Amino acid sequence: MRAALAEARAGLAAGEVPVGAVVVVEDAIVAQAHNAPIALSDPTAHAEILALREAARKANNYRLPQATLYVTLEPCVMCCGAIVQARLARVVYGAADPKAGAVESRYRLLDDARANHRVDALGGVLAAECGAVLKQFFEAKRS
């Protein structure tokens, strides 16, 4: 999660909403990214999507069944869809997202019995630190 936080801080420095993500396979980081929809003019350029794309390219496979995604903010509906499609083993996230979180705050997409794959999830890891980076960004935007 600390590597994901470093990515979030890189996103903060770039003027993006500071969310960072890393994909880990067998205790090694295989991909990392931060939000970049502004820089890439791409509404799908969330940290999770960018990290999953990189990990899939490196694995030469769109399925990542041994991977764990660490992300500083609870994934949204779009990102949870990508997580399920990638067949990830696990998602670990920091801060909950009461407005758009799709792991457990608003929706429960990763353990929905109607989906063809379920993903283990753990929230609240370094939640205060992850939330502080987001708070810093939004306080600066408001002032």
Side-chain angles (χ1 to χ4, degrees):
M1 187 60 77
R2 296 227 181 265
L5 268 164
E7 281 293 327
R9 289 183 182 105
L12 177 67
E16 301 278 359
V17 174
V19 176
V22 297
V23 177
V24 174
V25 176
E26 297 177 2
D27 297 322
I29 294 173
V30 297
Q32 54 195 50
H34 59 76
N35 272 2
I38 297 167
L40 298 176
S41 298
D42 179 355
T44 70
H46 288 197
E48 301 96 319
I49 300 292
L50 296 174
L52 288 173
R53 286 177 183 162
E54 181 183 342
R57 272 193 302 273
K58 287 180 177 175
N60 199 32
N61 194 334
Y62 70 103
R63 300 260 168 95
L64 303 165
Q66 281 80 40
T68 297
L69 174 71
Y70 291 83
V71 60
T72 58
L73 181 65
E74 180 181 0
C76 69
V77 169
M78 175 184 68
C79 293
C80 282
I83 289 162
V84 169
Q85 292 302 314
R87 307 295 195 269
L88 291 186
R90 188 169 187 227
V91 171
V92 178
Y93 67 89
D97 186 349
K99 291 185 178 181
V103 176
E104 58 188 349
S105 293
R106 297 282 293 177
Y107 308 100
R108 297 191 65 93
L109 297 181
L110 299 185
D111 63 1
D112 190 318
R114 297 169 293 181
N116 59 349
H117 179 71
R118 283 168 212 57
V119 180
D120 289 334
L122 174 65
V125 176
L126 299 180
E129 288 181 58
C130 294
V133 176
L134 287 159
K135 185 177 179 182
Q136 178 184 358
F137 173 80
F138 287 110
E139 283 178 350
K141 285 286 184 195
R142 288 185 199 108
S143 58

